[in-house]
Each structure stands twice: as C-alpha cells, then as structure tokens.
Amino acid sequence: MVKRYRLGSAGAKEPVKTEAVIADIPESGSGSLFLTQKNGALEYEMPDDMIVYGLGEQTRGINKRGWKYVSNCSDDPNHNEGTQSLYGAHNFLLLSAGDFNVGVFIDTPAKVTFDVGYTRYGLLRITVADAEETAYDLYVMEAESPSETVREFRRIIGRSYIPPRWAFGYGQSRWSYDSAEEVREVVRRHREARLPLDCVYLDIDYMERYKDFTINRETFADFEQLVSDMEKEHIHLAPIIDGGVKVEDGYDVYEEGRANGYFCKDENGGDFIVGVWPGRCCFPDMLDDDARRWFGRKYKILLDKGIEGFWNDMNEPAIFYSEKRLKEVFGEIDAYKGRNLDVDSFFAFKDLVGSISNSEKDYASFYHTYRGKRIRHDKIHNLFGYYMTRSAAEAFEELAPEKRILLFSRASYIGMHRYGGVWQGDNISWWSHLLMNIKMMPSLNMCGFLYTGADLGGFGGDVTEDLLIRWLSFGVFTPLMRNHSARGTRRQEAYCFAGRTELFGGILRLRYRLLPYLYSEYMKAALQDGMMFLPLGFVWPEDEIARRTEDQLLVGESIMVAPVYEQNADGRVVYLPEDMKMLRFCGADIVEEKVYEKGHVYIRMPLGDVCIFLRRNRLLPLADSAEYTEAVDYRRPGIYAYGDAPEPYAYYMDDGRTKEYDCGRHIVYLTADRENA
Ligand code: GLC
C-alpha cells in the first residue's frame, strides 16, 4: 500500500513536478503519517534493531545508520567516508525491523538532509531545504518484507531502463584515447591477447575542442570508417556527451541554442556562462520542453554515424567557475596582496581559488524555464542530470523507437532510472572505493537504478595490479562492467601488466560465461520491479548475522558473492546463511566445487580466483566463454545445481536488441536434468 502526503509550510507553493512517480496516488491526510513533523523536519524514533536501507548513490554502508547524508548532486571525485553528497540524489529510505518494513520517498528537487542516527543514534531526522517556500510530496509504502516494500516503491516510479544486451559485455575506457589509431590499438591488443571486449568508450578526446556533437577531424579523421571497422570486430563505440555547450561563434549547436533562447539565463536575462572542459560554456535548459527536445535531437548526429551508446557527463551540472565568480575572486585575491597573512586570513586566502568550483552562489544565480515559469537553478538542482538523460532517451524513442540504445549518466534523481543507467561517478584507485562500489549496488537497485557499475580499477590515482584484479573479480557481476581511468594516471587496460594478461583474460572470460544468468536476472528485475543485487538481510531477515553483513551480496536468485576488497589478503571470512555450494573459478574454469555448511568459514581466494556461492536448490546457468556478447550461445547454457530438489530456473532470454520484452513469452524453465551440460 502506498500513501501520498503533501507537506511543507502553510502557504508554501505547489511542489515542483519531478515526474519521479508515474502512478496517480490520492493525497492522504497527514494524521495517518508515522513520522512526526517537528521544527520543520520529519522525525522518527528508531528502535535499536532497525536497519535503514536506501539512499542509492551514497557513501558508507548498506545500513545507512550513523551518518548524515545530503541529497545534492555533486561532482566530488575525492569523496571518502566524510562525504555527504555524491553524484546522484536518491531520496528513498527503507526502515526495516521485524515486521515493520516501511519505505519513504521524499519527492523534491531541493536539498534534503537525512540525519540517520548521526546526532543521536535513535533519531531519524529528515529536513527538506525549501519546505518553507515550496511544498513537496512524501510517499510512504509498506509491505510484509523489505523486498516487497521496494517493489511497491518501484511500481509507482515505473520500469527501469533496459540497455541492449551487448552493453553487458566488457567495456574499455580511458580519458586520453587521443586518436582513432589509439582506439584501434586498444581493440587490437584485446583481440590479440584473447581478452573479451564489446565496447570502447570515447571520452572528450574525440570531440573538436570539447564541443558536444562534434568530431575532431584531425585525430579522428575518418570517424565513420572507424565505427564501421569496429562493428566488424563486434565492438561498439560509446561517446561521452557533456552537460555544457561551448561558447564559440560559428559552432552550430551554440548558435542555435543562443538564437532560440535554449540556454539557462543569468539574473539579467543573458545566457549564463560557466567554465567547464571547453572553457566558456552555456547550459541547455534541460527543464524547458523545447530546449530539451532540441538538445535530445542533436544525438542524431552521432546515431547517424552508427553510434549506439552514450554516456552523459558533467551534468550535476559541474561548474569549474562562472564568469562572475571568477571576476570576484580575482578581485578578492588582490585585496590580500602585501598583507600579513595570519591564521584566519591565510586559510581564507588559500580556500579562495578552490571555492570557485561548484559554488552554491553560482547555483543560486541562474535560471530555468520550467512549465512556463522562471525558476532558480538551486531550487531544481537535482533534476538537471535526470532531464539531460531524459532529453536523449526521449529523442531515441522518436528517432529509433524499436532499438535499445545504451545510455547512462553521472548525475541522477529517481525517475531518471526509466531513461538510463548511472555509473558511480569519479572514484579513485583505492581499496575503500572498491568496497563502496560493492555496498552501493543494492542501494541503487532499490531506487530503480539497475544498470550500474563503478569505474573498475578506479578513475583517479594509480592502480595496482592486485586492485585491478580484485575489482574486476567483483565487476564480473555488475551490469555495467567498464574499466575507466583518468588522463595522467597509470594505464590499466587488461593487457598492461606483464605476465598477467592470461589471468586478466580468465576473469573477463568468466564474465561471458555468466552472461546468460546475469542478463536473465537483470531482465527479470527490470520487468518485475525487483532487485538484482540484494543485501543478505532481504532474504534472511530473521538471521541477525545476515542482516548485519555489509560485504557480501546476493546477485539474482541463485548466487551469493563475497568479494575480496583488501590488499594482500589471500582470502576472507564468508558468512553462509544456509548451506551453499562454492564454485571456485580460476579464470573462467571451475577448479573446485565444495559444499559448506551454514556459518562462518575462511575461504582462500588467491588473486585470480573468483568464488561463487550457489544457494541450495537453485540453479546457475553458465555459457561457454566467448570474446564478445553476441558470440555467446544463450540457447544452451550448462547448468550447475546444488541440493536434492532444485527449483526450475526461470530463464529469460530475448533478442537483446529490440523492445519486445515479455516475461511470459521469453521465459523458459531450465531444470537440473541438463546439469553440467
Ligand atoms: C569527468 C568524468 C570522467 C571523464 C572526465 C573527462 O571527470 O566523470 O569519467 O573521464 O570527466 O571527460
């Protein structure tokens, strides 16, 4: 059951319509609300045994208790435990204790603070920044289990985005593939070393002076030829598109946007100018219907060249500087000249330059036109990335209605999950970021983001060979499996580590063996509003150890994973909530099968070994490995089983390209008779 409450101060304006929820839910009187409205916040006394799940892309644990989080899409590549805001804003919480499984969704693009037992362990306090001025809708849902509560929520926000099946293959990316030659080289080296690959991502380097929808014809002279040659190699190219359009006379996208008034405006009605990768840029007003349609149709330029996938970036939107703020800061710096800088003035001076990026002042100084009304950016900040991605998806629907196109974004808000996936933003080659990736998966799934993954190996910083091996060993399970890194960092393509290429190849080939299962589980989760990555407590809510386990996950209905995320570890303690059969893969091959009883066990996992725990009476379909997704034989997977009475496995398989999804027609039931075929 889902209830909707309209909250905010008396006399507050109508809420901004985010279109996160697509179901029409009548308003309930606030008398039945289980949260208390106090001092402008919503409060709730949490019993000690309550777990608070949710918040999608956020730091810290699967259980969010003990920290303060702020929904405010932020470009923060150096995030750590102390961070409160990441790239996405996902205002969904699930409070779970015994029979009490209640979901809460705060639908507002304003900043929302979730103090989940930070000020006091037993107190949940939710504060909506703009509630004085603008009302908001609060949705409350309840069901008998955590999974069912999530399903209730997912039903009202609509079906998750479904990518083409090739997007489940391995992708290689790096900011600094500076020419077509380099892209060809990356593909050649993968193919030569028999490292499977389906996609190469093109970062801003393919563009002419970082201008959206252009090609650098000096370095990517025959882009069209490159796309078609790659197609012959079964490689898809997925270019990046940024949220800002370069200010440059004669650049048609800029000229059209300016002439038609499609850009966000400053206080005086002029185009608001910021600095991002290309230098001076304007932001298309993604919230304005006409501007959004116009921007979306620009993707056609690349679709017409044979491109079938995109990643939308810098769409929090990230601002390096605004013209106005830059001028102010230069002025302020002047005032420090010749002064004796003491403890206060020195640090203020030092912070000055850093303060120009993503500044609150800037976000509060430009305007959108939303449904005919002028609205200041900071009031709808969390919608920008969502609406940018929506602009592309709506255009694809018009331009190629039958075809699935790969699309994922950096910034997001709930609702965007219908239009595209997300990658988990800029991370660093740190072990703690691998662990964060693991914990974020179920939280994102709850919020509808199924197509997701992190930059494997880490984006910033220098990777080590063992970190990359461990990260890929987890990445084999995430729908988006992409190795991505920043310009200037150590190279981390799978062929870069002397003597280890075969080991990397084994891990990548395991991904392809798992594809029938992963794709099937993904599709069922999408079509039935379910989750693909589950915390153990969702399946064993009565098992207190399972409920408190933060570093193991269920992936789909049949398997549990327990990744290694610490340097120099040779294995780890695994908790088995029931008897399970461990399948040890050394690369793509099973080298050991062993049944472990319920309880804790230390399992050795040397580098290159991936252990999968098969649940009792469940089946795992596995294909032979292949070097690209379409070479996988999906029709006849081998079956691994554990238990005396395995339930038939509901195997979903469709053509992977068109939109004729249908659980009825595309599910066949696999049984254990075909075991180890
Ligand atoms: C941003 C993106 C990153 C990309 C870089 C250059 O930092 O998050 O993935 O490589 O911009 O485009």
Side-chain angles (χ1 to χ4, degrees):
M1 202 196 26
V2 184
K3 285 191 168 170
R4 178 172 67 86
Y5 301 93
R6 173 67 50 92
L7 301 177
S9 299
K13 284 187 289 197
E14 277 278 293
V16 174
K17 291 206 170 29
T18 65
E19 296 185 21
V21 172
I22 54 170
D24 197 6
I25 316 254
E27 189 180 331
S28 295
S30 63
S32 65
L33 182 59
F34 80 105
L35 301 157
T36 316
Q37 298 185 65
K38 211 167 147 188
N39 306 326
L42 295 167
E43 294 194 352
Y44 178 69
E45 285 295 332
M46 300 180 286
D48 277 355
D49 65 341
M50 177 165 277
I51 288 186
V52 179
Y53 296 105
L55 295 183
E57 190 173 313
Q58 262 297 359
T59 56
R60 301 239 169 183
I62 293 177
N63 182 354
K64 305 316 279 190
R65 276 186 84 158
W67 190 238
K68 196 158 104 177
Y69 310 86
V70 182
S71 281
N72 182 36
C73 295
S74 303
D75 174 16
D76 183 358
N78 299 314
H79 55 269
N80 54 41
E81 260 185 72
T83 302
Q84 296 184 334
S85 306
L86 288 177
Y87 299 87
H90 306 142
N91 304 334
F92 172 73
L93 287 182
L94 167 60
L95 316 182
S96 175
D99 294 342
F100 185 85
N101 289 291
V102 173
V104 176
F105 173 51
I106 323 279
D107 189 13
T108 171
K111 245 186 236 167
V112 185
T113 303
F114 297 87
D115 180 336
V116 193
Y118 164 76
T119 301
R120 177 163 61 77
Y121 190 72
L123 180 69
L124 169 68
R125 192 156 200 277
I126 304 171
T127 319
V128 176
D130 254 355
E132 293 280 295
E133 203 184 303
T134 312
Y136 64 95
D137 281 326
L138 169 77
Y139 295 84
V140 175
M141 54 237 82
E142 180 161 14
E144 68 277 13
S145 66
S147 302
E148 283 312 307
T149 302
V150 168
R151 206 181 298 279
E152 292 271 298
F153 174 52
R154 300 274 301 286
R155 273 194 197 121
I156 66 164
I157 59 172
R159 192 180 72 205
S160 298
Y161 163 75
I162 297 176
R165 191 169 55 205
W166 62 260
F168 289 80
Y170 179 58
Q172 180 57 51
S173 182
R174 181 170 169 90
W175 168 20
S176 75
Y177 292 151
D178 284 331
S179 66
E181 273 327 297
E182 249 190 90
V183 172
R184 288 177 195 274
E185 161 95 358
V186 169
V187 172
R188 187 176 56 72
R189 294 197 63 181
H190 277 84
R191 290 284 182 249
E192 271 173 15
R194 294 198 47 245
L195 296 162
L197 187 69
D198 269 271
C199 183
V200 176
Y201 290 84
L202 302 179
D203 209 317
I204 48 173
D205 323 294
Y206 79 90
M207 298 178 190
E208 180 189 70
R209 293 190 293 284
Y210 310 129
K211 293 183 297 190
D212 278 343
F213 312 111
T214 67
I215 309 284
N216 184 336
R217 291 292 178 184
E218 276 169 28
T219 46
F220 286 81
D222 207 345
F223 186 84
E224 292 74 2
Q225 189 64 42
L226 176 71
V227 177
S228 87
D229 289 350
M230 289 298 111
E231 202 184 314
K232 287 180 205 123
E233 299 262 4
H234 310 280
I235 298 290
H236 302 262
L237 298 179
I240 196 170
I241 302 292
D242 281 341
V245 167
K246 181 173 167 62
V247 173
E248 186 181 282
D249 289 339
Y251 165 37
D252 53 351
V253 180
Y254 169 67
E255 299 255 2
E256 276 174 37
R258 188 180 55 178
N260 292 298
Y262 289 151
F263 295 133
C264 292
K265 301 284 180 256
D266 63 20
E267 280 107 344
N268 307 319
D271 290 341
F272 181 68
I273 305 207
V274 294
V276 202
W277 298 124
R280 293 189 185 95
C281 284
C282 289
F283 289 136
D285 186 354
M286 302 295 178
L287 282 111
D288 174 60
D289 292 342
D290 292 336
R292 188 167 71 250
R293 199 166 306 122
W294 163 75
F295 191 78
R297 288 193 68 91
K298 292 293 167 207
Y299 287 76
K300 185 170 188 298
I301 296 170
L302 289 154
L303 289 178
D304 286 349
K305 300 187 192 302
I307 293 297
E308 297 168 316
F310 299 89
W311 44 312
N312 283 346
D313 191 23
M314 306 303 276
N315 53 7
E316 292 69 32
I319 298 180
F320 293 170
Y321 61 84
S322 70
E323 290 269 271
K324 203 172 132 204
R325 189 82 193 102
L326 201 60
K327 262 194 214 124
E328 280 169 14
V329 169
F330 279 130
E332 288 169 38
I333 287 177
D334 253 6
Y336 284 93
K337 270 192 195 152
R339 268 176 66 184
N340 171 19
L341 297 183
D342 63 6
V343 60
D344 301 318
S345 52
F346 171 72
F347 288 106
F349 170 70
K350 204 170 153 232
D351 290 347
L352 249 185
V353 174
S355 75
I356 57 177
S357 292
N358 306 319
S359 118
E360 292 291 328
K361 272 198 185 162
D362 282 336
Y363 289 131
S365 69
F366 68 97
Y367 295 84
H368 296 265
T369 304
Y370 188 44
R371 300 182 179 220
K373 289 200 187 111
R374 190 171 114 124
I375 186 162
R376 210 172 71 192
H377 175 80
D378 58 334
K379 311 278 178 196
I380 54 83
H381 175 72
N382 289 337
L383 296 183
F384 191 89
Y386 164 14
Y387 275 66
M388 174 187 181
T389 299
R390 181 174 177 169
S391 88
E394 283 173 346
F396 299 161
E397 201 54 54
E398 250 177 62
L399 298 166
E402 303 302 323
K403 193 171 168 178
R404 298 187 212 174
I405 292 174
L406 171 62
L407 180 62
F408 57 88
S409 170
R410 193 168 76 172
S412 59
Y413 179 84
I414 291 174
M416 201 205 83
H417 71 288
R418 300 192 298 271
Y419 300 101
V422 287
W423 92 97
Q424 293 163 18
D426 291 352
N427 56 10
I428 302 187
S429 299
W430 287 343
W431 293 86
S432 59
H433 278 184
L434 162 56
L435 181 58
M436 195 184 291
N437 175 198
I438 297 167
K439 294 185 185 192
M440 232 186 246
M441 294 302 292
S443 311
L444 278 165
N445 276 199
M446 288 172 210
C447 299
F449 294 96
L450 297 179
Y451 190 76
T452 182
D455 287 348
L456 301 174
F459 171 71
D462 289 332
V463 79
T464 56
E465 183 182 282
D466 55 351
L467 177 59
L468 184 60
I469 292 172
R470 294 300 191 189
W471 215 325
L472 289 171
S473 300
F474 175 64
V476 294
F477 302 103
T478 61
L480 168 63
M481 185 190 184
R482 181 177 79 141
N483 176 339
H484 179 52
S485 55
R487 182 182 282 279
T489 60
R490 183 181 186 180
R491 299 294 294 223
Q492 60 187 49
E493 289 83 359
Y495 47 75
C496 287
F497 299 88
R500 287 290 204 184
T501 307
E502 189 41 44
L503 185 152
F504 279 108
I507 297 172
L508 300 186
R509 284 196 293 280
L510 169 58
R511 164 62 165 216
Y512 287 73
R513 295 203 66 190
L514 287 166
L515 277 177
Y517 177 70
L518 296 176
Y519 183 74
S520 171
E521 290 303 312
Y522 184 94
M523 293 303 292
K524 287 186 289 182
L527 298 175
Q528 297 166 353
D529 298 324
M531 291 162 63
M532 186 175 167
F533 287 79
L534 294 115
L536 269 48
F538 272 44
V539 175
W540 296 280
E542 259 123 61
D543 176 340
E544 203 45 33
I545 303 177
R547 278 182 88 227
R548 299 284 169 180
T549 299
E550 288 268 336
D551 59 355
Q552 299 176 204
L553 296 171
L554 288 146
V555 182
E557 63 181 57
S558 301
I559 63 173
M560 182 181 81
V561 299
V564 174
Y565 51 86
E566 275 174 316
Q567 189 156 33
N568 300 318
D570 188 44
R572 54 165 288 175
V573 174
V574 178
Y575 177 63
L576 299 146
E578 64 183 21
D579 298 358
M580 291 186 187
K581 185 195 232 178
M582 181 197 71
L583 303 176
R584 176 187 298 279
F585 290 81
C586 181
D589 303 321
I590 295 184
V591 293
E592 185 190 1
E593 295 181 38
K594 184 168 173 184
V595 173
Y596 287 96
E597 284 176 10
K598 174 179 160 78
H600 284 98
V601 58
Y602 179 84
I603 298 196
R604 276 200 70 220
M605 299 182 200
L607 284 177
D609 280 17
V610 180
C611 295
I612 292 180
F613 298 86
L614 179 55
R615 292 175 62 190
R616 190 165 43 172
N617 291 330
R618 299 292 165 103
L619 303 180
L620 174 66
L622 277 183
D624 289 339
S625 73
E627 281 179 34
Y628 49 92
T629 47
E630 292 318 303
V632 172
D633 185 356
Y634 296 97
R635 288 163 311 151
R636 310 191 155 275
I639 306 288
Y640 283 80
Y642 165 51
D644 310 329
E647 290 165 32
Y649 175 71
Y651 181 47
Y652 180 98
M653 197 44 63
D654 58 14
D655 67 13
R657 281 174 292 132
T658 65
K659 296 181 177 168
E660 287 174 22
Y661 322 118
D662 183 346
C663 271
R665 212 150 38 88
H666 295 314
I667 284 186
V668 292
Y669 288 87
L670 304 179
T671 57
D673 318 339
R674 310 229 327 267
E675 201 174 336
N676 296 356

